Amino acid sequence: MEKLSIIGCGTMGHSIALSAAWTGFDVKVGGVNEEDLNRADKGLQNKLSVMVENELVDKSEAEAIRSRITLLTSLKEVVQEATFIIEAIPEVLEMKHTLYQELEQLIGEDVVIASNTSGFTPTSLAEKALYPERFIVTHYWNPGHLIPLVEVVKGEKTNQETIERAMAFMKKMNKQPIFLNKEIPGFIGNRLQYALFREAQALLDQGVATKEDIDAAVTYSIGRRLPITGPLMTSDMGGLDVFSAISNYLFEDLSTAKKSGRVLTSLVEEGMLGDKSGQGFYQWDENASKKINAEREKTLIHFLKLDRERNE
C-alpha cells in the first residue's frame, strides 16, 4: 500500500487528495501558508457537500473522507514516510525543478515523484534529478475527484517499476489510467481538446455561426455520444469507409492555424479572460458562474454513477 503525499493544495491538489481519501487512503497535502490551507479546506468542504447532496456519499462517509486528509505547510512533514508523491504546483518549470531538488534531500531514492503537469514532459521535469528513473507524469483532469481519466506518461529514463507502481496506484484510486508509450506535448486529452477548440475558433472567426450555435453543435450532438464512444470507436460504428471518405475531402478545409484565432486573441488583449474576469466569449457574473459550474458538476456526477453501475 503506497503512502501518498501531495505537494500543492490548489484546485487540482486538494481535488486529487479528495479522490485518494474517497478510496480509503490517508493523504498529506502541502500548501504554501495557512491562507493556502484554508482555501483548500473550504474547497474540500464544498466538494464534499455537493457529493452528499448528490448521494455519492452520506454525511458520515464525507466526514470520514475529510478526516483522512491532513493539510500542512511544512514540506518535511508532508513527505515524511511518503512512498508516492504527486506534485501539483503551478506550471513553472523552474519552480518545479527547485521543488524536486528540495525533495531529493528529504526522501529516499525509491520514492516515486509524479507530476500532475498538463504540459511538461517527464524528461524535462527530471533533467536535473539525481534519480530520473523514478519520475513520471500522472495527469489528472479537473475536477480530479469526479473525472476518472489519469494520463500516465513515462520519461526517457523512467523505469518499469515506476510505471507499474503508478498504474497500479491510479487503479486503486478507482481512476481510469491510460499509458502513453511516448511523451508528446499536451499528451492525448489536451491534443484532442485543442484540435476541437482550434476548429471552433476558426468557425467563429469566419462568421459561420454564433458562439452559442457552435457550442450547441457539440453539446447537443457529439457531446452526447462521447461519454460512451470515443472518436475511433464512433468511426467503427459509423463505418470506416464513410469516415475515411469524409476525412479525405474535409481535412483539406479544416483549420491548420498555428496560433490563437482573431477573436480569442482580441479578447485576451482586452483583458476579457472569461469567468475569472467577468467577460470572455460569454458574459459571466457570480450567479451565472455558480449555475454553469453546478450543472457541469451534476452532469459529471451522473456519468460517474453510470460508470460505477457498469463496473458492478
Side-chain angles (χ1 to χ4, degrees):
M1 182 74 75
E2 301 283 6
K3 294 182 179 179
L4 176 63
S5 292
I6 297 172
I7 302 172
C9 63
T11 300
M12 289 307 300
H14 79 261
S15 187
I16 295 170
L18 178 54
S19 184
W22 191 2
T23 49
F25 288 95
D26 291 321
V27 52
K28 295 179 181 178
V29 186
V32 175
N33 50 41
E34 289 299 325
E35 183 180 355
D36 206 20
L37 300 190
N38 289 335
R39 280 195 298 268
D41 182 55
K42 183 178 180 180
L44 287 167
Q45 297 294 354
N46 289 341
K47 289 174 174 62
L48 285 166
S49 294
V50 171
M51 290 164 65
V52 171
E53 289 168 12
N54 287 273
E55 301 179 341
L56 279 176
V57 297
D58 59 30
K59 287 186 177 180
S60 63
E61 289 174 306
E63 290 172 359
I65 290 168
R66 180 62 189 88
S67 71
R68 297 185 193 112
I69 302 171
T70 303
L71 301 172
L72 300 162
T73 55
S74 167
L75 181 61
K76 184 177 180 180
E77 288 183 61
V78 170
V79 301
Q80 190 174 15
E81 300 182 349
T83 64
F84 200 105
I85 295 171
I86 296 177
E87 167 268 304
I89 68 173
E91 293 285 75
V92 179
L93 189 58
E94 296 76 16
M95 186 183 297
K96 292 181 187 290
H97 283 162
T98 298
L99 171 64
Y100 301 153
Q101 288 168 353
E102 290 181 47
L103 276 178
E104 291 194 313
Q105 304 302 312
L106 299 172
I107 61 176
E109 63 185 82
D110 59 340
V111 179
V112 171
I113 298 178
S115 177
N116 184 57
T117 181
S118 59
F120 294 123
T121 64
T123 296
S124 66
L125 293 172
E127 63 184 0
K128 297 180 180 180
L130 295 175
Y131 306 105
E133 63 274 11
R134 51 104 167 266
F135 274 77
I136 198 162
V137 163
T138 53
H139 176 225
Y140 289 71
W141 281 67
N142 185 33
H145 63 300
L146 296 181
I147 295 186
L149 182 69
V150 178
E151 296 175 292
V152 179
V153 192
K154 69 181 182 71
E156 291 176 1
K157 296 182 179 180
T158 307
N159 63 25
Q160 188 61 31
E161 179 188 350
T162 299
I163 295 168
E164 291 174 0
R165 285 175 63 185
M167 291 294 288
F169 195 24
M170 297 305 105
K171 290 176 183 177
K172 286 180 181 177
M173 267 199 246
N174 288 336
K175 292 302 179 183
Q176 181 65 50
I178 61 172
F179 179 66
L180 277 66
N181 294 313
K182 58 177 68 176
E183 50 183 0
I184 56 173
F187 313 138
I188 295 174
N190 268 325
R191 291 177 79 93
L192 295 172
Q193 177 176 232
Y194 277 84
L196 177 61
F197 185 43
R198 177 169 64 183
E199 189 60 30
Q201 290 183 67
L203 293 169
L204 186 62
D205 286 349
Q206 294 168 27
V208 173
T210 64
K211 60 182 181 294
E212 292 86 358
D213 283 348
I214 292 170
D215 278 347
V218 175
T219 58
Y220 291 104
S221 64
I222 58 174
R224 296 294 175 96
R225 296 192 307 222
L226 286 173
I228 306 301
T229 60
L232 301 180
M233 184 178 285
T234 295
S235 65
D236 261 2
M237 295 176 72
L240 295 182
D241 54 337
V242 175
F243 274 72
S244 177
I246 294 173
S247 296
N248 289 340
Y249 78 76
L250 186 57
F251 280 9
E252 292 184 6
D253 198 54
L254 294 178
S255 173
T256 58
K258 303 298 183 184
K259 300 287 184 180
S260 296
R262 174 179 52 80
V263 174
L264 177 58
T265 299
S266 176
L267 289 171
V268 172
E269 288 176 349
E270 293 175 25
M272 298 181 182
L273 308 180
D275 190 359
K276 63 183 178 182
S277 69
Q279 174 71 52
F281 289 114
Y282 294 86
Q283 286 189 334
W284 297 87
D285 58 27
E286 187 176 353
N287 290 333
S289 180
K290 284 183 177 179
K291 180 182 178 182
I292 295 298
N293 276 284
E295 288 179 2
R296 185 171 72 167
E297 203 163 37
K298 186 175 181 179
T299 301
L300 291 174
I301 289 171
H302 168 71
F303 285 117
L304 192 60
K305 288 180 177 178
L306 289 179
D307 286 340
R308 289 183 168 188
E309 290 175 8
R310 284 198 297 262
N311 293 330
E312 287 178 354

